Amino acid sequence: MPEIDRRRNVAFVGPHHAGKTTLVEALLAQCGAIPRRGSVTEGSTVTDHEPEDIAHAQSTTVGFAHCSCGPLDVTIVDAPGFVDFFEETKLALAGVDAAVVVVEADPSRVPLTQALIAAIEARRLPHCFVVNKMDRPGADYEGTLAALQQLYGRHVVAEQWPIVAREAQNDKHSGLRGYVDLAEMSAHLYDDAGERETPMPTDVRERAERAHADLLEAMADFDDHLMEELLEGIEPPLEEVERDLCSECSHDQILPVLVAAGASGSGVAALVRAIERWFPSPADAPLLDAEGRPIAPDPDGPLVANVIKTTIHPQSGKLSIVRVLSGTLKADATLTNVSRNGEKVRSGGLFRLQGRKQEALAEAGPGAIVAIARLDSVKTGDTLTGNGHKVLLPSVALDEPSFAIAIKPRERIDEAKLFAMLARIVEEDPALRLARADVTNELVLLGSGEQHVAIAVERLSRKYKVDVETGAPQIPYLETITAPTEVHSRYKHQTGGHGQFADVRLRFEPRERGTGIEFSETIVGGVVPKQFIPAVEKGVREALAHGPNGFPVTDLHVTLVDGQYHDVDSSEQSFKTAAGMGVRDALPQCRPTVLEPISRIAVTVPSAYTSTVISQLTGKRGQILGMNPADAPGCDVVEADVPQAELARYITELRTATQGLGRFRARHERYDPVPGNRVAGPKAAV
Ligand SMILES: Nc1nc2c(ncn2[C@@H]2O[C@H](COP(=O)(O)OP(=O)(O)OP(=O)(O)O)[C@@H](O)[C@H]2O)c(=O)[nH]1
Ligand SMILES: [Mg+2]
């Protein structure tokens, strides 16, 4: 079999804690890639190898592994399930040809797959579901299946039915013993070697027969011949059923559902067979370029590769994990980075990843997912080609960050160094963003949620041995005036020699919100000589940087209306000083008021949570602007204007109130007076 036909690139995705990493571990052990299964809680798995994964007993970034399953060469991408890391999952999906969606055997967890399934369906990626943790008491396969069908339709269909152990006294589910293969209608019990066939247990026969009929009916929607057989009451031959299942799953038409208990390895042997039979090889389903044209996976064709992940090690340097789409990638080759104006880059070594371990490779053909060392200027998402070939791959649209912290060095290093280190952390995870805040000038790190940003800070401290201080970013309050005034300010100073003298009369008037500061003058007869007027303006503007409440003053008009000077003693400095004094005298007379930034937010939530979200926003002094159906089915978009001060932890509160399903976008809208002039937060000064 040609090498490409033996390849399978599969992402393991699904809600947080569904058991993906554990299932991957069991699969690697089943295929002999590792001697025994490690455990997430002990920090000994292949794909959760980063210190942050181990410390939190969860995946915090994608992990890569590979194994040979019979003739197959399978590359596994183990994606983190926690909602904060979803952008990372989206990037990883760009590199695979199929996905195993792992869900717990608990119907209430099924809605958590919605954004993920939308991303999978956007790519028309073949996928199956694994209902996992079937060993747990109370595991509910039937309910979970029904919940999946309710959300994703009847083409989500059981291909396996569980054979469960029950407690003698109360008949309650107490474990998973095996499964019925609903295509073959054969029963299998798990054992140390994987599984063995067994006569069909009488207690599942009837239920399995109904599920078998459902499977055939769902498949018949895509095969007229099978439909005719069913209408005539003919049992279709097994070869036909299997052929249809392979074809319909690999074309993302039928979404089979399997059972497993990854912690004990139960179900893994059948999952391996499913990957082999149902999922396409890179040759079967060529990936598309940015214009939607398929890229022929030809080993002798022009090289095209896509960077799906970047990792940076402080000592050993950068690894770019790429998916080869066409051509043959070699170590120490010159590549063209089409995404960066055709820049030429020279690759270092080529590796295959087994968790943290790297195996050197001489070359990698179409469909391979491999790591390239030392592509220093290359970023995640870039398209690399050989010989200047000009093809560009589609970019993955990442959501805007919804949580921010302010960050500063605690000691030792200066901010510029910290910035450089943070930039490398952000390079590893493009869902993070580094910015300098307007008004407050703080360094802020933005991400998809509190945990996302906290783990990035942990990674920063570990990798670069830097101690940082973090906290909520300051709210960029401003202040303004609400009444006009006019002041007279004279600066006169005599210290031996020649003295200093300046006299100004300044008028202060409120301006419309958002119009900023305007300075003008109505001097006649040169009572303030022209050369000193810029100094007056400078003095005014500098003094306006700190209003009576400590915040920058905005939205006012200051006019220099009159003044006096002295031939010898007047200078730019003395006029600047007089102007500053005038501002400080005037502002308290102008009924100053603090302004707070208002964000316009659009919250997308399943309709069942819309009223919860509206009352949550109202409780945050939000002004609801409207509510409309969202693009995502069954969801609403609530638009509101909310003070930024109320939104610091909103993503966490929103997810808590909506089972993790709510998301929002925010942008600065305007400044409004703070009710009662009372500000919260680090600069509370009123
Ligand atoms: N009872 C039972 N527990 C399991 C099973 N699989 C995993 N677990 C436990 O569930 C927890 C989560 O398992 P993981 O494998 O880390 O789940 P995950 O989906 O990779 O989690 P994230 O990557 O953080 O989304 C761990 O405590 C596992 O020991 C299973 O089949 N049965
Ligand atoms: Mg995991």
Side-chain angles (χ1 to χ4, degrees), residues 17 19-22 40 47-48 58-61 78-81:
H17 249 60
K20 301 173 289 294
T21 302
T22 307
V40 170
T47 49
D48 275 5
Q58 70 172 78
S59 309
T60 62
T61 179
D78 176 19

Side-chain angles (χ1 to χ4, degrees), residues 30 37 163 176-179 187-198 261 264-270 273:
Q30 168 84 25
R37 293 193 296 268
I163 301 174
L176 179 67
R177 294 179 58 222
Y179 69 97
H188 307 257
L189 292 182
Y190 303 123
D191 63 14
D192 291 342
E195 56 180 61
R196 68 186 150 81
E197 197 162 342
T198 185
S264 57
S266 301
V268 170
R273 283 198 304 280

Side-chain angles (χ1 to χ4, degrees), residues 1-2 78 108 116 118 170 223 237 259 275 290 310 384 391 446 463 470 539 543 566 603 607 655 670:
M1 201 191 298
D78 176 19
S108 73
L116 175 65
N170 56 17
D223 178 355
V259 296
I275 290 172
T310 303
L384 304 175
V391 65
L446 301 105
K463 287 197 171 181
T470 62
H566 185 276
V603 189
S607 310
R655 285 179 183 153
R670 61 173 188 275

Side-chain angles (χ1 to χ4, degrees), residues 46-114:
V46 172
T47 49
D48 275 5
H49 63 84
E50 291 252 323
E52 291 74 29
D53 299 337
I54 295 168
H56 295 267
Q58 70 172 78
S59 309
T60 62
T61 179
V62 283
F64 295 86
H66 66 89
C67 60
S68 302
C69 302
L72 291 190
D73 187 359
V74 182
T75 298
I76 293 170
V77 179
D78 176 19
F82 191 67
V83 59
D84 278 23
F85 305 111
F86 182 54
E87 304 307 304
E88 176 105 333
T89 301
K90 285 202 301 206
L91 287 163
L93 285 175
V96 297
D97 304 298
V100 172
V101 183
V102 184
V103 288
E104 281 174 68
D106 174 353
S108 73
R109 304 283 292 167
V110 168
L112 298 179
T113 56
Q114 274 166 287

Side-chain angles (χ1 to χ4, degrees), residues 466-509:
V466 51
D467 203 9
V468 292
E469 218 168 272
T470 62
Q474 289 178 31
I475 303 300
Y477 291 109
L478 297 175
E479 53 187 299
T480 191
I481 58 170
T482 57
T485 196
E486 206 170 290
V487 290
H488 174 218
S489 171
R490 170 171 288 195
Y491 179 56
K492 193 172 173 196
H493 203 64
Q494 203 69 51
T495 46
H498 74 79
Q500 299 186 47
F501 178 89
D503 182 297
V504 291
R505 182 171 283 278
L506 297 169
R507 188 189 308 139
F508 293 78
E509 291 155 298

